[in-house]
Amino acid sequence: MDSNELMEIKEAQIASAKPIRLRCCLAAGCLYSEGEAIKEALENALEEEGLTDQVEVLGVGCMGLCSEGPLVQVDPDGILYEKVKPSDARSIVAALKGGKATAKIGDLSHPFFTKQVPVVLENSGKVDPERIETYIARDGYQALNTVINELHPSQVVEEVTKSGLRGRGGAGYRTGLKWELVAKTPGDRKYVVCNADEGDPGAFMDRSVLESDPHRVLEGMAIAAYAVGANQGYIYVRGEYPLCIKRLQIAIRQARNLGLLGSAVFDTSFNFRVDLRIGAGAFVCGEETALMASIEGRRGTPRPRPPFPAESGLWNSPTLINNVETYANIPLIIRKGAAWFSSMGTERSKGTKVFSLAGKVKHTGLIEVPMGTPLRVIVNEMAGGAPDGGKVKAVYTGGLSGGCIPAEKLDTPVDYESLVQIGAIMGSGGMIVMDETDNMVDLAHFFMEFCVDESCGKCVPCRAGTVQIYRLLDRILNGMGEDGDIAKLQELSEMVKSCSLCGLGQSAPNPVVSTLRYYRNEYIECIHKNPKRNGNKNAVKAAK
Amino acid sequence: MDRVKVATVWLGGCSGCHMSFLDMDEFLIDLAEKIQVVYSPIADMKEFPESVDVTLVEGSVANEDHVELCHKIRAASRVVISFGDCAVTGNVPAMRNPLGDPEKILQLVYVDRADTHPIAPKEAGIVPKLVDRVRPVHEEIDVDYFIPGCPPSSSRIKEALTNLLEMGETHLTGENLRFG
Amino acid sequence: MSRQIIIDPVTRIEGHAKVSIYLDDSGEVNSARFHVTEFRGFEKFCEGRTLWEMAGITARICGICPVSHLLASAKTGDKALAVSIPPAAEKLRRLMNLGQFTQSHALSFFHLSSPDMILGFDSDPATRNVFGLIAADPELARKGIRLRQWGQEIIELLGAKKVHPAWAVPGGVRQSLTEESREQIRSRIPESLATAREALGICKRMRERYPAESESFGDFPSLYMGLVGANGEWEHYSGSLRVVDHLGYRVADGLSEDNYKDFVGEASENWSYLKFPYFKPLGYPGGIYRVGPLARLNVCDRIGTPLADRELQEYREMLSGAVANNSFLYHHARMIEIIAAIEGIERLLEDDDVCSHHLRAEAGINRLDVVGVSEAPRGTLFHHYHLDEDGKVLSANLIIATGQNNLAINRTVEQIAKRFVKGPDIAEGMLNRVEAGIRAFDPCLSCSTHAAGRMPLSVELVASDGEVLRTITRD
Amino acid sequence: MSFSAIDSALPSSVMGGDSRYKLLETAIKRHQSQSDALIEVLHAAQEIFGYLDTDLLVHISKNLKLPLSKVYGVATFYHFFSVSPRGAHTCVICMGTACYTKGARKLSAAAEKISGLKVGETASDGSLSLMTARCIGACGIAPAIVMDGKVVGGQSEEMVTEQLKGWIEDGF
Amino acid sequence: MAVKTLTIDGRLVSAMEGQTVLEAAQEAGIHIPTLCHLDGVSDLGACRMCLVELGNSPKLQPACVLKVAEGMEVRTNSDRLRKYRKMIVELLLSERNHVCSVCVSNGHCELQDMAVELGVDHSRFDYIYPVERVDITHQRFGVDHNRCILCGRCVRVCDEVEGAHTWDMAGRGAKSFVITDMNQPWGDSTSCTSCGKCVQACPTGAIFQKGATVGEMQKDRTRLEFIVTAREKKQWIG
């Protein structure tokens, strides 16, 4: 494979495309709601109508608006059909010839679509994730080609540094700096790892990216490997995402067959092998040291840092770990340049961010917006606010490690610093919207149940502390709370946060701390419901 | 000077802490000048007084009578002290907790293990119902001080009481805190 | 219309209980019951523990006689290992048990029962306790306290703790006496003996001082059970079980604890957490028997130490028949036993074995179904364990002295109530006599189940349909 | 790290040429018997055998030259692996946030009620396993459950009860 | 190897490069509480008892794995640290069924000692009362999971010193537990050499010598130290 061959594939693919394409979403949400059957019905309908010469059906990745799925979009005229049933297929095909489709037509002028700036998602819903050619047709692997053939590794690192890209996994560490560290650390063997163990409740960005555009991530990883001097990569992907696994397996095979991965990439001396490692149901493995333990075939328990993976990672070798979305940004940064990338976003948070919207909003699904977009725009405009005439009460961002943002603070721009300032975090991009009917104690209880279940058990604060926090919340929620419980919750939370070994434990109390910060009254109300409260120990003492 | 009104009560425990209290031996004679025992299993007052300065509670909260007595004690006592490991931690009586439903244990002891006339004691108003989970006293009421030990040695009790009588408070430290 | 009187808690006993007294329409006592109101579940939660921990765990049944459980459990353990323990270990175990007899009997008399006998059954309940005794007769109180202290000290010098020493173990004991400790104990024998004799003297005079009480505090025929030595002598640690009837006839002799199930049955009642052991051949509830000091003196041929034997002889001469059938005499018997214990201690201390270092036989588990017995201060105590091959307890059954006295205590309560409790005005002293009758047995309810009281003593006027018409409360 | 290998005879199913063990051999070979590939091998074994019984884990330990306790420790750390058989039918209730906010807890309560099982348990007759999962990625159709491997969305308490009732009545 | 100078609790301390803060502190006679640390085996940083404060950093670091660095400012005993440590001990006490009074290690238990050291007179947290097993199938030793604090010392000493790797951790979170071989009865373990190192390594009464009665189990760490020294330094006589 060389650059010419790459161009040939691209041109051949463009040339083979039929004038009209029905893009049929086959990402998980739509797939589970009969996506395959719809695709088949459309193909049958085209056959019946004798339109197979001019129209083709493409199975594509996520188009974002999951709540209205299954989705079918007509290319090039752009009509979006929502909540499609297989029985709609015939009328959709008929509509190509001027008929009227029975399926609901989506409003593409809605802010949900118009306010998006697709960078990571530029190919989502457009390429067929199971066909590498469709990716190459949209300039796929050109960045890798450029990097390998035209740039010195240090230049690649520099470009990434200049772009201002920060880790999309949650903490927002500067990606360029991390790359530089790994590149500089001496070692015969280095590794590049993609953290695709997206486990935060309510987050499904990475799943979507991998299901929709897996090559983009592979390309990003290959560029990283070249930049830091690694020859082996691992993608650690959740076992709960069988579709991702399948599509990644196909993608890796296809890329290897074309010489875009494996030995002698682009016919150079650069070798880069990528293997999949399938998670087995442990949230903590999203933590990088636990993830590495798991890749090494051990119990996925974290270890103290330092040493950081960049110095001593997989099998004690320097290891670069980035998450899916971070890698997915790389090809475009190379292709369009650091300057282009850093022109988007805010002073300290560059580029765009993908968010998954869930909870009490009209439109749930996946969006990508420039950093700095106010939450209000995302929640009220793009997601359409609360459904059924409800009122948005709060937004929970950052998954487990994040926090809740009350409606009054919706003008906060989404960038790393602003969110931290109000007690939330960017996190990986899960956004759960709560309305007035939601009880925040219940939310904290839900998150804490999750933490208890997912704590690895190695360090005491997280293992035993989360259990006690959960018991307190459970007691409060069930109307058995006592007056001292809130203070106890706070004290425990502070200790678990300060003393836990890894990020999971350190952030486990966040849901409690953050809901207590803004919704303390809901806790107090719950406690006041305790029928025995007047007879409880504190009340009795006070009455003395 | 009025003598300090002291009560000692005994919930789910073995009386070992009270025995250790008596093990202060001749110091009891000195103590009798400073304190007045207003309620105790070793004395004949049948009702917990309305106002007590210091109450030492031995034993864990194991049945509904204990729950009621605890609250009565808290309401009437200026200072409540958890006296011994059962009161402080639940200790041995709490070993039944992992077994779950106390009814099942009653079944074993009184029905399955009876040679004749098998019946689990239940008479209302006579035998108190067991609580589901034996708990330390501070899980039921606020406790001011703790004297751990199974039982606390008489010297530990002496130190705690002396501190309390002389300084008005009694935070034990060091080896005096050792459980068991 | 009938009335129910509830005494709650019964005080100055080891463990708490309630008493219900049922009066008929004319205010006469119809019946009475003794309720034990607490349960801890040792027999269940011991399941799954190791044999070696059983002594330590079961000691927590009771803070007054932990040594009894320690010894019964260790003896059960000896059998599981199928070893005979070193002679020194047996002597030391005996020494500790006698130390315990001394402290426990002293407690029963001085701290718990003497306020009735010295201050009077009708004296002010607010001071009718050990502190009242301190005020009334500080010298006697001090002597009593020091006697108990000496007993506790023997336990401590051997087991490092006065209450709950973890010292006796399957196969032997963990530690012997140092020479200093031996001397320390020995040095106080004369003082202890003097106090014991003084107390015995008080007990001897009680029948004259309280004739009505002494006639009615559990005066009825029953069986008696206790350990006796190989030659029929008084025994507190090993030997075989003997059962005599109210005339002194040997109903059974040479019984082994291994077969306890052949002669001891257990029944339950809805109204008490304390089970009702009965002499199996006579069935329930007819198989009423008593254990403890009264029973031990009834079953033995002699004590085996000079002073105690002299006192036993005098005691027997005082009795109208061959055996004592009156629970009031428990006090008297108990004081004779203290003397026996002190003499026994003195004798044991003369043996250099008490400072030996050969104390423990070690072995694996060799028997799986084992029963151990010892005499607790208040009577015969059985531990029965069923073990797995590794020594884990599969099931445990514990039959405790006070349980075995349960039927007799109930009968005593009823007898006293019928004699002393008369309506319509119930005097506090009447009810105190009911309690004192229970105290005579020196019951150890913590052992049996452990009890705790709650409600004030109250006299309830209950209609025949069960409705409470009036409640009279005593402070 | 050393390892005292156990030389006890392998179960007859292995010796007898259970074809499933051949499949497992292939998976192990694919990873060159690398001990690092333990989790991959466990995935394969779980897929082939349905669950990881002791004999199977011993077999894997031996082949990957790993201590027995390490293999067991890894197998029980990850929720995907099961060391006891799953029921003939499985009902997995998604507890992802989207499903949770739309009432997943009610679904699990309904499932527990009709089946008499607690989440995480398998019926003693082996007919049914009740489980929960962290987000199965079907947020758009929340609340979703997975019945015998098939994702179904928009569930109500009645629907879950109805379906489980069918299974319970039919037995296997 | 280079010498690093740092301050611990305001005292100037010098240590060899590569040493941990815990080692440096111990050599300087400064006590830092530990539970999962065991001389001679690797460190996990799991119990969090040895957390220390560093300079102005808000993040606490475990002294057992933290390497000394030039100019480091370490505080080992602030109010905040003591408060956290105390809470951790309370959490451990309430997590399983630690009944000190009837434990074979009563009076000789590191957890109990820690409670004494930190002034824990009761636990503010609910006792969980999990159902735990007791395994005394081994001829000489027993394990009582009621008393296990999951420190993993047995796992490490068995793997790293004895080389048998009989022990490991199974399950996860609060449901973690130590196992021998395939979570089979210890007595059935084929890898166990019955060396007893795990018994000596265990800080509580969880792993004990069979036949030990209440309070009788005293762990002898010097034997372990002897083996480790003999191995590492080829030194058999102290």
Side-chain angles (χ1 to χ4, degrees), chain C residues 36-88:
Chain C
V36 172
T37 52
E38 185 153 320
F39 171 80
R40 284 178 297 170
F42 274 85
E43 285 161 335
K44 183 64 190 166
F45 64 66
C46 282
E47 289 176 5
R49 302 307 316 175
T50 76
L51 170 71
W52 297 273
E53 292 169 2
M54 285 301 279
I57 295 175
T58 55
R60 263 69 185 182
I61 289 173
C62 177
I64 296 152
C65 51
V67 170
S68 302
H69 291 280
L70 200 64
L71 294 182
S73 184
K75 284 183 71 183
T76 315
D78 299 342
K79 282 192 183 167
L81 308 188
V83 295
S84 64
I85 68 170

Side-chain angles (χ1 to χ4, degrees), chain C residues 248-271:
Chain C
Y249 175 74
R250 285 180 202 170
V251 175
D253 200 5
L255 296 172
S256 161
E257 68 272 19
D258 292 338
N259 310 317
Y260 82 99
K261 278 199 174 283
D262 294 343
F263 52 91
V264 176
E266 289 183 277
S268 310
E269 290 292 351
N270 186 29
W271 41 270

